[in-house]
Amino acid sequence: MGITITGVTKKFGAYPAVKDINLEIPTGDFVALLGPSGSGKTTLLRLIAGLEGLDTGSIIFNGVDFSFKNVKERKVGFVFQHYALFKHMTIFENVAFGLKVRPRKLRPSRSEIKDKVLELLRLVQLEHLADRYPSQLSGGQRQRIALARALAVEPEVLLLDEPFGALDAKVRQELRHWLREIHRKLNITTVFVTHDQEEALEMADTVVVMNHGKIEQIGSPAEVYERPANAFVYSFLGRVNEFRGAALYNDVAIARDSAVEAVGYIRPHEIGLSRFSNGVGIPAEASHVNAVGSTVRVVLKRLDTEDYFEAELTSGNFRELGPFHKGDILYADFTNIVVFEAITDSEHSKEREKVTVGAFSAFT
Amino acid sequence: MVKQSKRRRVLPGFGLSMGYTVIYLSLIVLIPIAVLFLKATTISLAEFWETITDERVVASYKLTFYTSFVAAMVNVLFGTLIAWVLVRYDFVGKRFVDALVDLPFALPTAVAGIALTAIYAPNGWIGQYFEAAGVKIAYTQYGIMIALTFIGLPFVVRSVQPVLQELDQQYEEAAATLGANSAQIFFKIIFPAIFPAVLTGFGLAFARALGEYGSVVFISGNMPMKTEIVPLLIITKLEQYNYGGAAAIAAVMLVISFLLLFLINFWQWRTARKHQVT
């Protein structure tokens, strides 16, 4: 089922959680709502589900206006961040709940319910746990049961709120593949919320980057990563080095007297390193070299502005360059730097600072 | 129990705390009750049997358990409702209402009895309207039930309130996304979660009502066979210096009460365990 969201705004008190959202989700799409905490991504998901009422705008499911329909009528499957499995029911009863609460006329017979539930438990590979209670299951198992329960009502849209947030890294990795697999099998329109850019880029067909209740960019993972629309998207997706002021003017030829403050971003792997100056390089001193694994991470200090930055190169390139050590002088090529207009309003500058800190934390 | 105490624990002192518990319970509860049973044996078995099967005594047993049960049930219904309102809604004077709930605990029960009688008497504020409709409240079983409901009110509210407070709304939301209507959400999701607390509140309110004397004697009218409760009958026996008879009636009352409360607690324990299996 396709979803069209037009001009949707939701305020909590005076605080706008989402502002004027426009989003088109085609049938069968796998969408990630990606953003930092407080970006309004969960609110948007809850608005789609009907768990929150919207202030303005409309939400249309397949051409039918669902803006003011309640949760029950929307036929969405919702998987909660902490699963919300009913503690007093067995796994079987949890999955059967959506079928058992149907009005008598629409309710399947007891044996039909049983078949359906067992089929879903087979789908999530947890058939053997039917008689257990939720508290007897591990986090990953609970997550899969929560999904089976949501799928039992045959929803036309599946919504997941931070589906892997509370799981450890290994389980998370497994479940990502597994969820993609389920989506491939059922081809049901799926929207999930995450703050993990890696998760969004790896799983989704479409990534919606959100910040401060607004959509910053919509596109395929490759699009948003390769061609970020603005400074926020660039810095939120992956590791970055940030340059501003004198350092930036040394790197690229832009007008110094430009009225707007500029900020430059470059990803560590886009920095070219060489042993000798070739005219474009900025001299820098290696202050830490981490050569474990297939990528070599180097922290360098620019000799012109004393700013630290991080560079990344493959172990092959590292050997080609001739292994260097702490204290060696290298020449860094910043031609791939991307320059954005610095965001000036105070609300955004807070966010920018956070991003900067994030970028620099990679150096320590 | 010995085995358990040998297991290593983070906090020491099983022996000390268990010992204290046993001594405390003995001094405050077990020994006085044992003396009561001892007193009941001062009369012969025939006398004992005669006392407790006396028509008037049996009628009072029935009345006491019946009215206490009804009052506790009423408290379950309205206590849960009050707890719900106090937890789920914000309104002006919420703190005031919250404090009001505990008032039946603080008020001397005789005062409550007199106040309720004044209101529900045939010429009282509320009683006069019922009188006009042909319903008597004061000096009937209904009066007793009202008094017992009053003194038992805080138990259900205070047992259910914290549990309701802890109940995460995501369960209701999950049920709603699965297509459940409001009634289904309440009866299938919320009620099972608060049921152990409701049972606890019921048990407490019921126990409190069984032993209540002060408020009831004023509103009941104390007519033998009709509105005479067990505690009143015991007092009457004591006033006649019939200590053995009083002890006999009390002993039977105690055994039945204990069995009922034990059953309620067992049921409560089982539901609580079923809902949070580890």
Side-chain angles (χ1 to χ4, degrees), chain B residues 173-218:
Chain B
E173 290 180 346
T177 61
L178 293 168
N181 60 35
S182 309
Q184 286 169 327
I185 292 173
F186 184 80
F187 287 107
K188 288 177 187 269
I189 305 302
I190 298 171
F191 194 70
I194 62 172
F195 186 61
V198 170
L199 265 183
T200 304
F202 173 82
L204 290 169
F206 184 57
R208 175 78 179 82
L210 288 175
E212 175 59 12
Y213 172 74
S215 61
V216 178
V217 288
F218 290 98

Side-chain angles (χ1 to χ4, degrees), chain B residues 133-165:
Chain B
V135 180
K136 277 191 200 300
I137 293 181
Y139 318 123
T140 65
Q141 289 188 355
Y142 302 121
I144 302 176
M145 287 170 194
I146 287 174
L148 295 180
T149 306
F150 176 83
I151 52 121
L153 169 78
F155 291 108
V156 177
V157 181
R158 293 297 179 231
S159 329
V160 174
Q161 209 176 0
V163 180
L164 217 46
Q165 201 109 47

